[in-house]
Amino acid sequence: MPKPNGFAYTATASGTVHITHHNRPATTLNGSRAARFLEEVTAGDPQLVMARWTGTYKHGNERTARNPPRNRR
């Protein structure tokens, strides 16, 4: 499975974090969630952390889940 890519974030002076995916807004974090995110993103792989926080990362089963055998007739 390829690593996630295309994520970026900007932290504002007011403590808000905006996360984008391929220049499209993915999520906005405020308060304690933004602080936890900033701690995690500096400690680990930033792309993976942003993908996990936004819920926008692939699990590898998208193609098979689209047309499961139980729905075929």
Side-chain angles (χ1 to χ4, degrees):
M1 181 170 80
K3 286 188 162 193
N5 62 6
F7 289 97
Y9 73 95
T10 54
T12 64
S14 64
T16 303
V17 175
H18 300 282
I19 301 175
T20 60
H21 185 242
H22 295 294
N23 296 324
R24 293 183 181 180
T27 191
T28 302
L29 304 172
N30 297 313
S32 63
R33 292 193 64 197
R36 276 196 332 235
F37 168 78
L38 290 173
E39 288 175 8
E40 259 188 68
V41 80
T42 56
D45 178 22
Q47 292 293 308
L48 188 60
V49 171
M50 286 184 274
R52 192 167 44 78
W53 275 77
T54 59
T56 313
Y57 81 122
K58 301 197 183 281
H59 304 282
N61 64 348
E62 287 81 11
R63 180 171 287 171
T64 57
R66 191 178 328 149
N67 191 13
R70 69 177 179 268
N71 290 344
R72 294 183 201 152
R73 293 185 192 222

